[in-house]
Amino acid sequence: MKPYCLLLVFAVLLSCETQQVDQVADFQTHFELSNGNETATYLQTIDFYIRLAREVPEINIQTIGETDSGLPLHIVTYNADGDFNYQKVGENKVIVLINNGIHPGESDGVDATMLLFRDLAIKKVSPPEQTILVTIPMYNVGGALNRNSSTRVNQNGPKSYGFRGNTKNYDLNRDFIKSDSKNAKTFAQIYHLIQPDIFVDNHVSNGADYQYTLTHLFTQHNKLGGAIGDFLHSKMMPQLEQDLVSENWEITPYVNVFNRPPENGFSQFMDHPRYSTGYTALWNTLGLMVETHMLKPYEQRVEGTYTLLTKILEISEKNASEIKKLRTDSWQRHKSWTHYPVAWKVDSSKVTRLNFKGYKADTITSLVTGFPRLRYDRSQPFTKEVVYMNYYHPADSVSIPRGYILKKGWDKIVELLELNNIEFTRLDKDTLLNVESYKIDHYQTTSSPYEGHYLHYNTSVLKSTKELGFKQGDILILTDQPGIRYLLETLEPQAVDSFFNWNFFDPILQRKEGFSPYVFEDLAAAILEKDEGLREAFDLKRETDEEFAQSWYAQLSWVYERSEFYEAAHLQYPVFRIPAQ
């Protein structure tokens, strides 16, 4: 080929390459086009990523799973190598998953993540070599489509936004364990597909007024536990704080107060498994919930979120080998456990002291109610030492069994086990086994509905060991598996977010048979005459319990419940524990 032909070919190739880069550089987001006053709609967001993925081989978008809205969820991935086989690439690289729009009125992360992917595409942000970035661009699709300008009454922009509830009016950040929504089921599918090492969920809120735009809510480090919990608390969190300060973005822990000044001190929020970072912690993921301050201007909040996300990428790059090793080791740590915490409380013997940047708070008389009200004075900023209680210790725990047996027929439970990659088998024949059996001894129930349920709490059980017969098809679940924490948090009734507390086993709480008093009177008398010990207990209760002594029906019920006629299924928890050997 002649030299001028080579030059012509080179010029054409260079022209095409330059044109492609220019096209990508022109990918302004709706946030930018509105001068930082508006957030992208669901369709604008997905269209942006589709167009970006067409132009940039390092970016991939895929449709994955259903939502209650009838529209699908998407995941968008940036990998400098252009390989999107998560099981393969996740062996050596850190995977960071960013979730946006779980509360669509809190849209800062939606716009910040669009900016980040665009800037990775045009190399404005250095492409990470050890990190793969994945995002769910808009998780609560139904809420995003319910666009308005009024439901975030305290929020300073954007001009319009989505609604907190999804299509079925669920708050999706309370749904990760119970999975009432299709969104939550698809999230589990996404989570177990990509198996992220770091998870970031972007939010906006306020509990008080203060100087910060950014606050962080890391997974509670004692609950995450072990070396990975220490890394989160002692290295990852301080490194993020320092890196942000170097960019003139100061950050403080999430200000966990309501209608009271933060300088009085506050505790770290406990992220139980119903919440996103609580759920991801069950599989040893380093979790972070970003909470920007809703009283700050929208453009400022998006810029702060963007900077924070870039710093998370830098932390991932700097600590990639350590993060991968911590997570690999974490899959084996349960082998040394004998007990597992099912309740937590603040450890008041350990506190952190923050140099907190707030505003002077006054109590004045309300012009509306005439009662005292709280007011912050932004003309009087301060920096004060504030007590932050971010250490917890177990308030209650259970011994870890070798496994569980779930009676067949509880299909909702089986569906959730399968959704979360829990390994189990079914008994191939009727079998006698020595097991630990639970009877529900006590529980309380909320008087108002909560996310579609009347949630139980303060649950306690009576445990006994006995030989019981199980049927072919009953479900055997061994605890020595990656999902051990998921099993303990859901199958132990005392755990805060257990399946029992979320009403999945409520049929056992209602008696299906009873007695006719006039018929049972004679039988009750015969039972007490035959059993001297029972008679003595009955007489003692009548002597010491006045309310019992004044109720003939309570007395008959007491005898009935201690007779052979009382149904065994009442309050019998249908999950049985195989004792550890």
Side-chain angles (χ1 to χ4, degrees), residues 177 191-192 195 273 278-285 327 330-335 337 340 400-404 413 416-424 477-492 499:
I177 281 293
Y191 178 81
H192 292 295
Q195 299 181 30
Y279 172 85
T280 60
L282 300 182
W283 284 274
N284 307 308
T285 294
R327 291 208 69 233
S330 70
W331 297 119
Q332 302 299 318
R333 59 181 177 152
H334 69 271
K335 295 181 182 295
W337 295 348
Y340 184 81
I400 299 175
R402 188 166 68 91
Y404 294 97
I413 309 299
L416 291 177
L417 296 178
E418 292 175 333
L419 184 67
N420 286 280
N421 288 357
I422 298 299
E423 299 173 2
F424 62 84
I477 315 158
L478 298 180
T479 54
D480 185 9
Q481 59 174 298
I484 181 173
R485 296 185 68 169
Y486 179 87
L487 290 171
L488 291 162
E489 294 279 1
T490 58
L491 297 184
E492 291 294 333
F499 289 146

Coordinates of all heavy atoms in Angstrom, one line a residue, residues 177 191-192 195 273 278-285 327 330-335 337 340 400-404 413 416-424 477-492 499:
I177 N -35.9 -8.7 53.9 CA -36.1 -10.0 54.5 C -37.5 -10.6 54.1 O -37.6 -11.8 53.6 CB -36.0 -10.0 56.0 CG1 -34.5 -10.0 56.4 CG2 -36.6 -11.2 56.7 CD1 -33.7 -11.2 56.1
Y191 N -28.2 -9.4 43.7 CA -27.2 -9.5 44.7 C -26.4 -10.8 44.7 O -25.2 -10.9 44.7 CB -27.8 -9.3 46.1 CG -26.8 -9.4 47.2 CD1 -26.0 -8.3 47.6 CD2 -26.6 -10.6 47.9 CE1 -25.0 -8.4 48.5 CE2 -25.6 -10.7 48.9 CZ -24.9 -9.6 49.2 OH -23.9 -9.7 50.2
H192 N -27.1 -11.9 44.5 CA -26.5 -13.2 44.5 C -25.8 -13.5 43.2 O -24.9 -14.3 43.1 CB -27.5 -14.3 44.9 CG -27.9 -14.2 46.3 ND1 -27.1 -14.4 47.4 CD2 -29.1 -14.0 46.8 CE1 -27.8 -14.3 48.5 NE2 -29.0 -14.0 48.2
Q195 N -22.6 -10.8 43.7 CA -21.9 -11.0 45.0 C -21.0 -9.8 45.3 O -19.7 -10.0 45.3 CB -21.2 -12.3 44.9 CG -22.1 -13.5 44.7 CD -21.3 -14.9 44.7 OE1 -20.3 -15.0 45.3 NE2 -21.9 -15.8 44.0
P273 N -31.7 -6.7 59.4 CA -31.8 -7.3 58.0 C -32.9 -6.8 57.2 O -32.9 -7.1 56.0 CB -31.9 -8.8 58.3 CG -31.2 -9.0 59.6 CD -31.6 -7.8 60.4
G278 N -28.3 -4.1 56.2 CA -28.5 -5.2 57.1 C -28.6 -6.5 56.4 O -28.0 -7.5 56.8
Y279 N -29.3 -6.5 55.3 CA -29.4 -7.7 54.4 C -28.1 -8.1 53.8 O -27.7 -9.2 53.9 CB -30.5 -7.4 53.4 CG -30.6 -8.5 52.3 CD1 -31.4 -9.6 52.5 CD2 -29.9 -8.4 51.1 CE1 -31.5 -10.6 51.6 CE2 -30.0 -9.4 50.1 CZ -30.8 -10.5 50.4 OH -30.9 -11.5 49.4
T280 N -27.4 -7.1 53.2 CA -26.1 -7.5 52.6 C -25.1 -7.9 53.6 O -24.2 -8.7 53.2 CB -25.6 -6.3 51.7 OG1 -25.4 -5.1 52.6 CG2 -26.6 -5.9 50.6
A281 N -25.2 -7.4 54.8 CA -24.2 -7.8 55.9 C -24.3 -9.3 56.2 O -23.4 -10.0 56.7 CB -24.4 -7.0 57.1
L282 N -25.5 -9.9 55.9 CA -25.7 -11.4 56.2 C -24.7 -12.2 55.3 O -24.5 -13.4 55.6 CB -27.1 -11.8 55.9 CG -28.2 -11.1 56.7 CD1 -29.6 -11.6 56.4 CD2 -27.9 -11.2 58.2
W283 N -24.2 -11.6 54.2 CA -23.3 -12.3 53.4 C -21.9 -11.6 53.4 O -21.2 -11.6 52.4 CB -23.8 -12.4 51.9 CG -24.9 -13.5 51.8 CD1 -24.6 -14.8 51.6 CD2 -26.3 -13.4 52.0 NE1 -25.8 -15.5 51.6 CE2 -26.8 -14.7 51.8 CE3 -27.1 -12.3 52.2 CZ2 -28.2 -14.9 51.9 CZ3 -28.5 -12.5 52.3 CH2 -29.0 -13.8 52.2
N284 N -21.6 -10.9 54.5 CA -20.3 -10.3 54.7 C -19.9 -9.3 53.7 O -18.7 -9.1 53.4 CB -19.3 -11.5 54.7 CG -19.6 -12.6 55.7 OD1 -19.9 -12.3 56.9 ND2 -19.7 -13.8 55.2
T285 N -20.8 -8.5 53.3 CA -20.6 -7.4 52.4 C -20.3 -6.1 53.2 O -21.1 -5.8 54.2 CB -21.7 -7.2 51.4 OG1 -21.8 -8.3 50.5 CG2 -21.5 -5.9 50.5
R327 N -13.1 -11.0 52.7 CA -14.4 -11.6 52.3 C -14.2 -13.1 52.1 O -15.1 -13.9 52.5 CB -15.0 -11.0 51.1 CG -15.5 -9.6 51.3 CD -16.6 -9.2 50.4 NE -17.8 -9.9 50.7 CZ -18.5 -10.6 49.8 NH1 -18.1 -10.7 48.6 NH2 -19.6 -11.1 50.1
S330 N -14.1 -14.6 55.5 CA -15.3 -14.5 56.2 C -16.3 -15.7 56.0 O -17.1 -16.0 56.8 CB -16.0 -13.2 55.9 OG -16.5 -13.2 54.6
W331 N -16.1 -16.4 54.9 CA -17.0 -17.5 54.6 C -16.7 -18.7 55.5 O -17.5 -19.6 55.6 CB -16.9 -17.9 53.1 CG -17.3 -16.8 52.2 CD1 -16.5 -16.2 51.2 CD2 -18.6 -16.2 52.1 NE1 -17.3 -15.3 50.6 CE2 -18.6 -15.3 51.1 CE3 -19.8 -16.4 52.8 CZ2 -19.6 -14.5 50.7 CZ3 -20.9 -15.7 52.4 CH2 -20.8 -14.7 51.4
Q332 N -15.6 -18.7 56.2 CA -15.2 -19.8 57.0 C -15.4 -19.5 58.5 O -15.3 -20.4 59.3 CB -13.8 -20.2 56.7 CG -13.5 -20.6 55.3 CD -14.3 -21.8 54.9 OE1 -14.5 -22.8 55.6 NE2 -14.9 -21.7 53.6
R333 N -15.6 -18.2 58.9 CA -15.5 -17.9 60.3 C -16.6 -18.5 61.1 O -16.4 -18.7 62.3 CB -15.5 -16.4 60.5 CG -16.7 -15.6 59.9 CD -16.6 -14.2 60.1 NE -17.7 -13.4 59.5 CZ -18.1 -12.3 60.0 NH1 -17.6 -11.7 61.0 NH2 -19.1 -11.7 59.4
H334 N -17.7 -18.8 60.5 CA -18.8 -19.4 61.3 C -18.5 -20.8 61.8 O -19.1 -21.3 62.8 CB -20.1 -19.5 60.4 CG -20.0 -20.5 59.3 ND1 -19.5 -20.3 58.1 CD2 -20.3 -21.9 59.3 CE1 -19.6 -21.3 57.3 NE2 -20.0 -22.3 58.0
K335 N -17.5 -21.4 61.3 CA -17.1 -22.8 61.8 C -16.6 -22.8 63.2 O -16.7 -23.8 63.9 CB -16.1 -23.4 60.8 CG -16.6 -23.6 59.4 CD -15.5 -24.3 58.5 CE -16.0 -24.5 57.1 NZ -17.2 -25.5 57.1
W337 N -18.0 -20.6 65.5 CA -19.1 -20.0 66.3 C -19.8 -21.1 67.0 O -20.0 -22.2 66.5 CB -20.1 -19.3 65.4 CG -19.5 -18.1 64.7 CD1 -18.4 -17.4 65.0 CD2 -20.2 -17.3 63.7 NE1 -18.2 -16.3 64.1 CE2 -19.4 -16.2 63.3 CE3 -21.4 -17.5 63.0 CZ2 -19.7 -15.3 62.3 CZ3 -21.8 -16.6 62.0 CH2 -20.9 -15.5 61.7
Y340 N -25.0 -17.3 68.4 CA -25.2 -16.2 67.5 C -26.2 -15.2 68.1 O -27.2 -15.5 68.7 CB -25.9 -16.8 66.2 CG -26.1 -15.7 65.1 CD1 -25.0 -15.3 64.3 CD2 -27.3 -15.1 64.9 CE1 -25.1 -14.3 63.3 CE2 -27.4 -14.1 64.0 CZ -26.4 -13.7 63.2 OH -26.5 -12.8 62.2
I400 N -26.0 -22.3 68.1 CA -26.2 -22.5 66.7 C -26.4 -24.0 66.5 O -25.6 -24.9 66.9 CB -24.9 -22.1 65.9 CG1 -24.7 -20.6 66.1 CG2 -25.1 -22.4 64.5 CD1 -23.5 -20.0 65.5
P401 N -27.5 -24.4 65.9 CA -27.8 -25.8 65.7 C -27.0 -26.3 64.5 O -26.5 -25.6 63.7 CB -29.3 -25.9 65.4 CG -29.6 -24.6 64.7 CD -28.6 -23.6 65.4
R402 N -26.9 -27.7 64.4 CA -26.3 -28.2 63.2 C -27.2 -28.0 61.9 O -26.7 -27.9 60.8 CB -26.0 -29.7 63.4 CG -25.2 -30.4 62.3 CD -24.7 -31.7 62.7 NE -25.8 -32.7 62.9 CZ -26.2 -33.5 61.9 NH1 -25.7 -33.4 60.7 NH2 -27.2 -34.4 62.1
G403 N -28.5 -27.9 62.2 CA -29.4 -27.7 61.1 C -30.8 -27.5 61.6 O -31.1 -27.5 62.8
Y404 N -31.7 -27.3 60.6 CA -33.1 -27.1 60.9 C -33.9 -28.0 60.0 O -33.5 -28.4 58.9 CB -33.6 -25.7 60.5 CG -32.9 -24.6 61.4 CD1 -31.8 -23.9 60.9 CD2 -33.5 -24.2 62.6 CE1 -31.3 -22.8 61.7 CE2 -32.9 -23.2 63.4 CZ -31.8 -22.5 62.9 OH -31.3 -21.5 63.7
I413 N -41.8 -19.8 52.8 CA -40.4 -19.9 53.3 C -39.5 -20.5 52.3 O -38.4 -20.1 52.1 CB -40.5 -20.6 54.7 CG1 -41.5 -20.1 55.6 CG2 -39.1 -20.7 55.3 CD1 -41.3 -18.6 56.0
L416 N -38.4 -18.2 49.6 CA -37.3 -17.3 50.0 C -36.0 -17.9 50.2 O -34.9 -17.4 50.0 CB -37.8 -16.5 51.3 CG -38.9 -15.6 51.1 CD1 -39.4 -15.0 52.5 CD2 -38.6 -14.5 50.1
L417 N -36.0 -19.2 50.7 CA -34.7 -19.9 50.8 C -34.1 -20.1 49.5 O -32.9 -19.9 49.3 CB -35.0 -21.3 51.5 CG -35.5 -21.3 53.0 CD1 -35.7 -22.7 53.4 CD2 -34.5 -20.6 53.9
E418 N -34.9 -20.5 48.5 CA -34.4 -20.7 47.2 C -33.9 -19.4 46.6 O -32.8 -19.3 45.9 CB -35.5 -21.3 46.3 CG -35.8 -22.7 46.6 CD -37.0 -23.3 45.8 OE1 -37.8 -22.5 45.4 OE2 -37.1 -24.5 45.6
L419 N -34.6 -18.3 46.8 CA -34.3 -17.0 46.3 C -32.9 -16.6 46.8 O -32.2 -15.9 46.1 CB -35.3 -16.0 46.7 CG -35.2 -14.6 46.2 CD1 -35.4 -14.5 44.6 CD2 -36.2 -13.7 46.8
N420 N -32.6 -17.0 48.0 CA -31.3 -16.5 48.6 C -30.3 -17.6 48.6 O -29.3 -17.6 49.5 CB -31.6 -16.1 50.1 CG -32.3 -14.7 50.1 OD1 -31.7 -13.7 49.9 ND2 -33.6 -14.7 50.2
N421 N -30.4 -18.5 47.7 CA -29.3 -19.6 47.5 C -29.1 -20.4 48.7 O -27.9 -20.8 48.9 CB -28.0 -18.9 47.0 CG -28.1 -18.4 45.5 OD1 -29.2 -18.6 44.9 ND2 -27.1 -17.7 45.1
I422 N -30.1 -20.6 49.5 CA -29.9 -21.5 50.7 C -30.0 -23.0 50.2 O -30.9 -23.4 49.5 CB -31.0 -21.2 51.7 CG1 -30.8 -19.8 52.3 CG2 -30.9 -22.2 52.9 CD1 -29.5 -19.5 52.9
E423 N -29.0 -23.8 50.6 CA -29.0 -25.2 50.2 C -29.9 -26.0 51.2 O -29.8 -25.8 52.4 CB -27.6 -25.7 50.3 CG -26.6 -25.0 49.3 CD -25.2 -25.4 49.5 OE1 -24.9 -26.3 50.3 OE2 -24.3 -24.9 48.8
F424 N -30.7 -26.8 50.7 CA -31.5 -27.7 51.5 C -31.9 -29.0 50.7 O -31.7 -29.0 49.5 CB -32.8 -27.0 52.0 CG -33.7 -26.6 50.9 CD1 -34.7 -27.4 50.4 CD2 -33.7 -25.3 50.5 CE1 -35.5 -27.0 49.4 CE2 -34.5 -24.8 49.5 CZ -35.5 -25.7 48.9
I477 N -32.3 -28.4 56.4 CA -31.4 -27.3 56.1 C -30.2 -27.3 57.1 O -30.4 -27.1 58.3 CB -32.1 -25.9 56.3 CG1 -33.5 -26.0 55.6 CG2 -31.3 -24.8 55.7 CD1 -34.5 -24.9 56.2
L478 N -29.0 -27.6 56.6 CA -27.8 -27.6 57.4 C -27.3 -26.2 57.5 O -27.4 -25.4 56.5 CB -26.8 -28.5 56.8 CG -27.2 -30.0 56.8 CD1 -26.1 -30.9 56.2 CD2 -27.6 -30.5 58.2
T479 N -26.8 -25.8 58.6 CA -26.3 -24.4 58.8 C -24.9 -24.2 58.3 O -24.5 -23.0 58.2 CB -26.3 -24.1 60.3 OG1 -25.6 -25.0 61.1 CG2 -27.8 -24.0 60.8
D480 N -24.1 -25.2 58.1 CA -22.7 -25.1 57.6 C -22.8 -24.7 56.1 O -22.5 -25.6 55.2 CB -21.9 -26.3 57.8 CG -20.5 -26.1 57.5 OD1 -20.1 -25.0 57.2 OD2 -19.7 -27.1 57.4
Q481 N -23.1 -23.5 55.8 CA -23.2 -23.0 54.4 C -23.1 -21.5 54.4 O -23.2 -20.8 55.5 CB -24.5 -23.5 53.8 CG -25.7 -23.0 54.5 CD -27.0 -23.4 53.6 OE1 -27.2 -22.9 52.5 NE2 -27.8 -24.2 54.2
P482 N -22.8 -20.9 53.3 CA -22.6 -19.4 53.2 C -23.8 -18.6 53.8 O -23.6 -17.5 54.3 CB -22.4 -19.1 51.8 CG -21.8 -20.4 51.2 CD -22.5 -21.5 52.0
G483 N -25.0 -19.1 53.7 CA -26.2 -18.4 54.2 C -26.5 -18.6 55.6 O -27.7 -18.4 56.0
I484 N -25.5 -19.0 56.4 CA -25.8 -19.3 57.8 C -26.5 -18.2 58.6 O -27.4 -18.3 59.4 CB -24.6 -19.8 58.6 CG1 -24.9 -20.2 60.0 CG2 -23.4 -18.9 58.5 CD1 -23.8 -20.8 60.8
R485 N -26.0 -17.0 58.3 CA -26.5 -15.8 59.1 C -28.0 -15.5 58.6 O -28.8 -15.1 59.4 CB -25.6 -14.6 58.8 CG -24.2 -14.7 59.4 CD -23.4 -13.5 59.3 NE -23.9 -12.4 60.2 CZ -23.3 -11.3 60.4 NH1 -22.1 -11.1 59.9 NH2 -23.8 -10.4 61.2
Y486 N -28.2 -15.7 57.3 CA -29.6 -15.5 56.9 C -30.5 -16.5 57.6 O -31.6 -16.2 58.0 CB -29.6 -15.8 55.4 CG -31.0 -15.6 54.7 CD1 -31.5 -14.4 54.4 CD2 -31.8 -16.8 54.6 CE1 -32.8 -14.3 53.8 CE2 -33.1 -16.7 54.0 CZ -33.6 -15.4 53.6 OH -34.8 -15.3 53.1
L487 N -30.1 -17.8 57.7 CA -30.9 -18.8 58.4 C -31.2 -18.4 59.8 O -32.3 -18.5 60.3 CB -30.2 -20.1 58.3 CG -30.1 -20.8 56.9 CD1 -29.2 -22.0 56.9 CD2 -31.5 -21.2 56.5
L488 N -30.1 -18.0 60.6 CA -30.3 -17.7 62.0 C -31.2 -16.5 62.2 O -32.0 -16.4 63.1 CB -28.9 -17.5 62.6 CG -28.1 -18.8 62.7 CD1 -26.6 -18.5 62.9 CD2 -28.6 -19.7 63.8
E489 N -31.0 -15.5 61.3 CA -31.8 -14.3 61.5 C -33.3 -14.5 61.1 O -34.1 -13.7 61.6 CB -31.2 -13.1 60.6 CG -29.9 -12.7 61.0 CD -29.9 -11.7 62.1 OE1 -31.0 -11.4 62.6 OE2 -28.8 -11.2 62.5
T490 N -33.6 -15.4 60.3 CA -35.0 -15.6 59.8 C -35.7 -16.8 60.5 O -36.9 -16.7 60.8 CB -35.0 -15.9 58.3 OG1 -34.2 -17.0 58.0 CG2 -34.5 -14.7 57.6
L491 N -34.9 -17.8 60.9 CA -35.6 -19.0 61.5 C -35.6 -19.1 63.0 O -36.4 -19.9 63.6 CB -34.9 -20.3 60.9 CG -35.0 -20.5 59.4 CD1 -34.4 -21.8 59.0 CD2 -36.4 -20.4 58.9
E492 N -34.8 -18.2 63.7 CA -34.9 -18.2 65.1 C -36.0 -17.1 65.5 O -35.8 -15.9 65.2 CB -33.5 -17.7 65.7 CG -32.5 -18.8 65.6 CD -32.8 -20.1 66.4 OE1 -33.5 -19.9 67.4 OE2 -32.3 -21.1 66.1
F499 N -38.8 -14.7 60.4 CA -40.0 -14.9 59.7 C -41.2 -15.0 60.6 O -42.3 -14.6 60.2 CB -39.9 -16.3 58.9 CG -38.9 -16.2 57.7 CD1 -38.2 -17.3 57.4 CD2 -38.8 -15.1 57.0 CE1 -37.3 -17.3 56.3 CE2 -38.0 -15.0 55.9 CZ -37.2 -16.1 55.5

